[in-house]
Every structure is written in structure tokens, then in C-alpha cells.
Amino acid sequence: DASESKLDLDIDWPGVFKHAQSVSKTNPFWNELSGSNPFVHDIAASNRNENNKRLSILKEKPYLFSKISSNRDSLDSSGDELDIDCLLRKTSARRSGRSKSVSDFLDIVDNQRFNPHKTAPQKTTVSDMTWLQNDREAYKMAWLSHRQLTRSCLDLEAMSHSPGWAQTQATDIHVVCKLNHEGGSVQLPDSDINIHVPVGHVLPGEFQEVGLKAILNPPLSCNNELSSTVSPLIELTLSNLNTSEAIFLEVKVAAKVKSDPLSQVMSDIVCFFSLNKEGPFKKLENCYIYQDTIQVKLTDLSHVMYAVIAIQASRIQPPATNVWDYVHRTVSVGIYGPKYIHPSFTAVFTVFGHNYIPGKLTICDIKKGGKSMPPVVFQLWGKHTFLLENPQDLNISLVSCDPDFQVKMDDQSKNIKKEELKTGEMVRQQFLFSMLGCREMHFFVFLVQIKILKSSQVTQFHVTTPDPAPKLSGIISRPKHLQNRKEIKSAPWLLIPTIKYPKFQDKTLSVNTYGVALKTVLRQNKIDYLLEYFKGDTIALLGEDKVKAIGQTKMKEWYVGVLRRKIGLVHCKNVKVIPKEQAMDTADSELTTRNLVEQIALPFKKLTYIYSVVLSTVSESVYDWRALAEVLGYSHMSLDDFNEAHIDKESERVAHVVKKMKQDCHANKKKRLFLYELIVALLKIDCQGLVARLTQDTIILTSAVKLGKSWRELAEKLARLTKQQIEAYEVPHHGKNGAVALEMMWKPAYDFLYTWAAHYGDGYRDVLQDLQSALDKMKNPVTKQWRELTGALILVNCMEVLRASAFSKMEEE
């Protein structure tokens, strides 16, 4: 994911958080002009004192934002559980070792496309890390905020091992930094929004956590005939109110007051401030303006504050008709789309009332075939700014420059009303692209035209789409992708041993919520993963999240519960939810963490997988072979057990441990199942991000195998694919008779499901839930007999309670 890499992994943080001394050369607020600007006098004065040099205020683990990977130019096809039609045999036999996982292939493609010469991680500042060691909770919050998660059940350590896997979709950009008595500057990534904290803001020995967040839609009350916002709504959070110095908000805005005398007298750039997101907002007087930049002194500090920059007119005097007439106003537009294109996809044209264009956007109102789609994280494909002197009706058209693709006829031209622009809110228009015929998928270029309806002004720019999601066979048949693998090694070897896996504790689950059964449910036809219970039973509920799944006949919402040492789903309407304090007899609903792990991993006893891909994924993501060996029952292993081929790298040692376990399971097939035992082991060393990745990969593969030719019906339900588009997925897999053999039908099914899932970014829970719902709604649901997807949903919903009970919150040294 290019934009995620740009945000999370490749930022040169010391460059982002400029020190006062370097800023002084370019920022007018830090010059000797402070005499005319009393609000920065104290900062400017302290800058002249050599003893007050600023420290960088990013105090993170030095390796946390680096992609940690190793050289994996290798393949191993020993003992695949599923023969993927010579999937791995096309590659040179000289290449020894292990295969690539699907995500690894995509990493190779992404790295070559966006940064082919990158060979080392960006440096991060490592000074003053003691506060992190002493305050794990503060560190967790800073990290979660940086990763833009709406919720998380992933441990920081696990995240650093597998930074691409997180809980849900991206929210607004948010950054949190911790500053000490020395102060510093905090910048919202990819923006011109900064907070400057002077020396002495907090007492020596104390700390201030500063949070910055951009909310894309500004408050409606600040947009009217006399006022128009020119920045996002900025949420500023402070942890410490025991302060002695004000702080400064600095924003570069998307407007400039015109130079004519009337505009200069009648209008001004101002800052509106409130302690509530909805307002009311008051105008701040402590503002200093330099060209298109405003600096605001904030003295009325609170734990949460909101600020927005606006153009305000004292009154409208003809010939002016609204506040826009007094300013030169630039409008920013962004074109967003999925991470990869496929035969039918949506591009979103977005107009912002400010100059902040985020790299990702969560779109919640995508419609296909008249039906709403689930929320999708869209990537920024292209952006453009242009001057718009007045709110005008705009006409937007997207035209494909490639004859293989076309914009849906109804979507080729759309209008945006000037009243929509006046509100300052984001305005979006959707354009549906589709491929013509059964040609090979490829990236292409399209033209974006913006016409002002009441004039001849036309603004246009070109946008290049990303590539289609690579197919496994396509990548493997081109060895050059693998030959370039050496160019993208990233992490210094010395950093790996610093990672420590937590110790699994076998103890009773800590449960906060219970449900009392309102009726008796006993099923004549037993259904896997659904609980049976008597009226009055007290059922432990593992979290408050609900799972959507089909019961005996119809779709219902379920809680994940425990009763008589069995984990399963209980229909939400059949229980009365009560807190822990009200639960009378909980003996029947107790469960140990060991039993929890063994039960939630049960679906993996029946899931289809590719051994070589699992081996590659695990060896790249686990960084301590001893930790894995111990939970797999190989605590007796030592370095003497490795041959020369496996001794050099940790990843090779991990692979050796996994291979040994595979051989032992193969030798005792009746009692031992490889994937099940591996998942149990990974859960016991708290590798939840890796388990999530393996869960999604194996569910998609097994679903494709289970569906067979029924995948066509699913494709229509999930993505509204036409018969032509379905045919485009099947053409590459045609046999000699010009059709796809029934036993090969899983291949186009896998291609489709893999491409579909890529649209969700890191939202693996949403992938599993939406796939479950779609399969349940088919005419003859495969989920009536095949319930392992339900089991996988139980697994991901139990991760939080597992972590809370099985691993101590403060790791002992």
C-alpha cells in the first residue's frame, strides 16, 4: 500500500518535526520580527539562547516504522495440502528455500513501483525512551493514534512485526507526540498544520502529550454569507493542563485576501475556537497573519479543543455578493479509488473546502446496482488545485484515455452545485469504470475535466490508475520480480533480537458481561459453532461485538458466548445482557485461556491452505525461533540442531522449526493437524496480526474451493459483476476446450475473492463478515454445511479477551 508506506513507514520524522533553530531560517515568526509580534516573543527569545536547543519530540522505537523483511528469493513445494496446478513449478529450480506468500508478491510489486531503489529504513530519533519503558499505556496510545486505528486488539509488538495488519480501516489522520519541559513542534503528517510548544510550557520533569487531528468536514455554523472556512476542523488534545506558557497553532490556508482596499478593510483571515466539536465557536483575537499563513496563540487551554480557520467579512458591500468576493480562493480536488483496479471499479471525485487532501479516505456510501456497499478505504490516485473566485456550479466529467475501459454512460458527466461548495464540506461524486470485453487487465490513464458552467473556464488533469491486483501465476512466471528482491531489504540485522514475545498464562478468562438465556434452545440437527442452552443458563459473553450469520433458516445477529466449557454463538434476542456484578452463578460459563485458544483455532482443522505460502508468511513474520519452538513443544532444540543452510538468519531458523513440525504432523496424520497446531502456537506467543493474515488467506482460498462454479453467483452479489466481467476472470484459466474445467473453477473464484478483499485494506474483520453475509444469502448457501467461516469470525472476535487474560499488561524484564 503505497500511501500507507508513505505515511507510516517512510517519513523522515526528524525532518517533519523541525527544530526551532532550523525553522528560524525559513519561518518569519522566528526572526527578529518578534518585536512586532508579541505572541512569539518568548519563543524567539529562547531560540537565541544556545542552551535551549530543541529536542526532537518523536520518541518511538527506532525500528518500529521500518519494514522488517529478509531476502526471500526462494521456493519450496514440499507437501502442499492443495496442489495448485504446478503453481510453484514454473520458477527456476535453482532457486532454493521457500516460496513467497501472496502479500509478499504484492510487496515486491509495490516496492518496485513506488520506490525501487530504497535499501534502508528511514532514521528515527531514539533519545529519551525512558518514558516509554515506564508508561506502556502511553506508548500504546501514541502508537495506535499514529496507525490511525478506530479500534485495536493488536499488541504493539505484534504490530511492529507485521505493520501492514491492523484492526480496521483508516480514520482521519491523527498524530500524538509527547513533549517535555524543552517543548518542540508537532506537525500533522502530509499537511501544513503545526503546533509549536515553547520551552517551559510544562514544569521540568513533567510531560505534555499533544494530539492533532484533522476532521475533513468543518462546522456548518462557520460557513455563511459572512464567513467561509479555509481549513479542516482541527482537534487539539492535551494531557496536562498544569501549564505556564501558551501554545501556538500555525496553519497554511487555501485563501488570500485580495489586495484592493475594499477587500482589505472588509475581510480578514480569522480563527474560530471552541471546546466542543459542534460549537459554539468564538473568534480569537491573538492571531498573526503572514501572506497565506496564520499563527494563533492559544491561552484558554483544555484537554480537548477545536479550531478552524475562516475568511470573515464585517459586512458585504456591493458589488460584492458574499465573502468569497473579497479573497482569492483555491479549491482542492482529489481522485480516490481502490488499491488495485479490477474489471469493474468506482473512482470518487472529491472537492475539499481547504488545501488538506488526505492520502486515504473511507467511503461509506458506495452504491452498485442500486445497492449500498460496505465501507471501503480508498487511496488517493491524483490531486489538483485551481483558483475559483466565486462559488459556481461545476460540471465534472471523467473520460478514459484507453479504449479497453469506459466510464458508465450515466456517470460520464456530473454536476456540483455552488450551494454545496458554500457549505465548506467535502463534496463527492462517484464514477463507475468497467472494462470492455475479455482483454488483459492493465493500468490506464483517464482525463478529469472541471468546467465552470457560467463561463468558458475549464480545468483538466490526467490521472493514472494503479495496477490490477497481481495474479500468483502472473508474478511467478516473471522471475525478474524475484531477482530484484535484494534491492528492498530494509531492517538492519542487529535490531531483530530486541523483540521479546510475551509469556502465555493459562488461567481463567476474565469476563465482564454475561447473558441470561430467556428460552431453551436445543437443535435436532446440530450446527457447528452454535450454542445450545436451557432457559435461565448464565452464558459468559466474550465481548459486545455482534456476528451476523445464518441460523437454521435465516440471518441473525449473535454474541460469542461460553457455556459448559464450549464456545459458540448465541442469538442476541435469546439472552438478557447483564454486567458481571449481577451474574448469580457463573460456574458453568468459566473457561481457561488454554481451552479458549484450542477452541477458537478449531476451524483450521478443516481449512484448505498452501503449505509453502504459510511457511513463507510465518518465517517472515516471527522473529524469535526459540519462542515458537517452545510453544510447539520443541524447547529441547538448540542451535546445534540447525544445518549450515539454516543457521545464518532468524527467518531460516523459524522456517526450520515449522518444517520440523510439519514432518512430525505428517508422520502422525490421525492425531496431529499442522495448520491447527501452528495457529494455536502463534496465538500463544501473541502473534495476533499474523493469525489474522493467515485466517483471511486460508478462508479466501477455502471459500474459492468450496464455491466452484457458484462463484459467479457470489461475484454478482458481492461486486455486481456482469457476465462479461465474470468471463474476464475465467479466460486466463480456459482449458483446451475453451472453458474452465470444473476442478479448476476455484482459480477464477480465488482471483475474484482476492481482488475483492484487497479493497478492504487492513479491515480483515469486515472481509470475513461481508463474505459470511454474502455466502449466507446465496440460493444454496455453502455455509449451511461449511461453517468454518463462522468459526473464523468467532476467532477474530475472541482476540481481545484472549490478550486481556492470557498476557500480563506490564511485561517483566
Side-chain angles (χ1 to χ4, degrees), residues 69-115:
S69 59
S70 303
N71 190 357
R72 306 265 188 274
D73 279 7
S74 49
L75 296 166
D76 180 342
S77 57
S78 61
D80 282 3
E81 298 301 293
L82 178 71
D83 185 4
I84 307 295
D85 189 32
C86 305
L87 178 68
L88 304 172
R89 298 175 202 162
K90 297 178 183 177
T91 310
S92 166
R94 290 192 299 270
R95 223 178 281 281
S96 62
R98 298 180 312 286
S99 83
K100 300 285 178 281
S101 67
V102 170
S103 60
D104 195 20
F105 285 127
L106 300 184
D107 284 345
I108 295 170
V109 175
D110 280 349
N111 274 277
Q112 286 180 340
R113 187 189 313 145
F114 297 108
N115 202 354

Side-chain angles (χ1 to χ4, degrees), residues 303-475:
H303 284 301
V304 183
M305 297 164 282
Y306 295 89
V308 64
I309 312 302
I311 301 290
Q312 187 181 44
S314 54
R315 61 191 178 91
I316 305 299
Q317 181 171 317
T321 57
N322 61 61
V323 68
W324 283 52
D325 290 323
Y326 295 134
V327 293
H328 293 296
R329 179 79 181 260
T330 55
V331 171
S332 301
V333 300
I335 301 292
Y336 290 84
K339 182 177 177 182
Y340 301 106
I341 61 170
H342 63 106
S344 176
F345 65 86
T346 299
V348 180
F349 176 95
T350 309
V351 180
F352 297 94
H354 43 76
N355 58 359
Y356 174 57
I357 305 179
K360 290 183 180 181
L361 203 60
T362 302
I363 309 292
C364 301
D365 55 355
I366 294 292
K367 290 187 181 295
K368 286 191 178 179
K371 290 193 174 182
S372 296
M373 301 292 287
V376 180
V377 176
F378 274 34
Q379 318 291 324
L380 180 64
W381 285 1
K383 58 184 177 181
H384 190 75
T385 58
F386 63 97
L387 194 66
L388 188 64
E389 294 292 359
N390 261 302
Q392 303 271 1
D393 291 340
L394 303 179
N395 174 260
I396 315 300
S397 58
L398 270 59
V399 182
S400 173
C401 302
D402 190 306
D404 291 352
F405 293 85
Q406 70 172 14
V407 183
K408 185 180 174 184
M409 195 66 71
D410 299 344
D411 288 352
Q412 287 179 354
S413 179
K414 297 195 174 185
N415 293 333
I416 292 176
K417 300 290 185 184
K418 65 180 180 181
E419 285 75 18
E420 294 179 282
L421 297 178
K422 280 184 179 181
T423 66
E425 291 194 344
M426 258 191 324
V427 184
R428 298 199 299 262
Q429 292 289 356
Q430 298 176 16
F431 295 84
L432 183 65
F433 281 83
S434 58
M435 191 171 72
L436 298 172
C438 303
R439 301 175 178 85
E440 182 75 19
M441 279 291 294
H442 57 83
F443 75 88
F444 65 98
V445 177
F446 60 88
L447 177 69
V448 181
Q449 283 192 328
I450 306 166
K451 299 176 184 175
I452 298 176
L453 293 179
K454 292 184 180 179
S455 75
S456 57
Q457 182 183 345
V458 176
T459 298
Q460 62 182 36
F461 59 102
H462 288 88
V463 175
T464 302
T465 72
D467 289 328
K471 294 177 183 176
L472 282 175
S473 57
I475 295 174

Side-chain angles (χ1 to χ4, degrees), residues 589-602:
S589 55
E590 288 184 354
L591 195 74
T592 65
T593 51
R594 181 181 61 81
N595 202 323
L596 173 70
V597 166
E598 290 169 352
Q599 280 202 57
I600 61 178
L602 283 175

